[in-house]
Amino acid sequence: MATTVNSGNVPVSDTQSSTSADPRYEGSTFQYSMLLEHLIGEKRPIKDLNPTVMGGLPNPMKTDDQKMIERGMESCAFKAVLACVGGFVLGGAFGVFTAGIDTNVGFDPKDPMRTPTAREVLKDMGQRGMSYAKNFAVIGAMFSCTECIIESHRGKSDWKNAVYSGCVTGGAIGFRAGAKAGVLGCGGFAAFSAAIEYYLR
């Protein structure tokens, strides 16, 4: 027995079949699906997020000179030179600081009872500062250059680059004293680089 709607005698099944067969109903469904495709589907247009449209400041186009400068600053050579200069300054300051707190600065081993002059103390502090500055500059340049090369080769910027670079740098420095020292230097620098990356990230 067919079910009636309200007080009419038209069955529900007949109403549904007439509605589905209505071309106006099919046309509205098609238009609705097309609208969804253009709003949230694959046909949705991708808009450029221009800062001027969003109410922000306009972003001027970069000139060729600016692009060349950016490429130069992102190069491995520039990073190595910058790390070398920074390491030289940091090493020199560290060397002067350690010489300042060392009580044996300026003393002559042949005559330990003689009190050193201020000139001798400053000379010893300068020599130690220069020695530390050279070592830190070499380590900084090697580490920065190898890290940049490894990052360019891998195409990723993560903590592994610093670990690999630390191993290469420590190994290269330690191998001057033998294979065992090279392996220890590789492991030590890699562990130190991993700790620094974990702290910074």
Side-chain angles (χ1 to χ4, degrees):
M1 182 176 179
T3 305
T4 58
V5 180
N6 295 335
S7 60
N9 296 325
V10 181
V12 175
S13 58
D14 297 340
T15 306
Q16 292 178 351
S17 61
S18 63
T19 305
S20 60
D22 190 358
R24 292 178 299 176
Y25 177 78
E26 293 179 356
S28 61
T29 305
F30 177 75
Q31 292 177 359
Y32 181 72
S33 61
M34 289 294 294
L35 181 62
L36 289 179
E37 283 290 331
H38 284 82
L39 290 178
I40 59 176
E42 297 179 354
K43 297 181 180 180
R44 179 174 59 91
I46 300 176
K47 296 182 180 179
D48 187 14
L49 297 179
N50 193 348
T52 57
V53 178
M54 300 178 65
L57 296 176
N59 189 12
M61 297 295 294
K62 296 181 180 179
T63 61
D64 294 337
D65 294 336
Q66 291 177 341
K67 293 179 181 179
M68 184 178 63
I69 293 174
E70 287 185 356
R71 286 195 299 267
M73 294 180 65
E74 293 175 357
S75 63
C76 295
F78 179 80
K79 292 180 180 179
V81 172
L82 186 63
C84 180
V85 174
F88 186 86
V89 175
L90 181 62
F94 185 73
V96 172
F97 174 76
T98 55
I101 61 177
D102 190 1
T103 57
N104 296 324
V105 174
F107 281 92
D108 188 3
K110 298 179 181 179
D111 189 9
M113 300 302 295
R114 187 179 65 87
T115 303
T117 61
R119 184 176 181 180
E120 293 174 345
V121 172
L122 292 176
K123 182 180 179 181
D124 198 359
M125 292 176 64
Q127 291 177 351
R128 183 177 297 188
M130 183 60 65
S131 177
Y132 275 70
K134 292 179 180 179
N135 292 332
F136 274 63
V138 171
I139 293 174
M142 289 180 60
F143 182 86
S144 179
C145 186
T146 52
E147 184 182 14
C148 181
I149 293 174
I150 292 173
E151 181 178 349
S152 300
H153 178 72
R154 295 182 67 238
K156 297 179 181 179
S157 179
D158 53 10
W159 60 273
K160 293 182 181 180
N161 297 329
V163 174
Y164 296 153
S165 178
C167 181
V168 173
T169 304
I173 295 174
F175 269 121
R176 295 184 299 176
K180 184 178 180 180
V183 173
L184 292 177
C186 174
F189 268 75
F192 180 75
S193 300
I196 295 298
E197 285 293 320
Y198 177 79
Y199 177 75
L200 292 178
R201 293 177 184 268

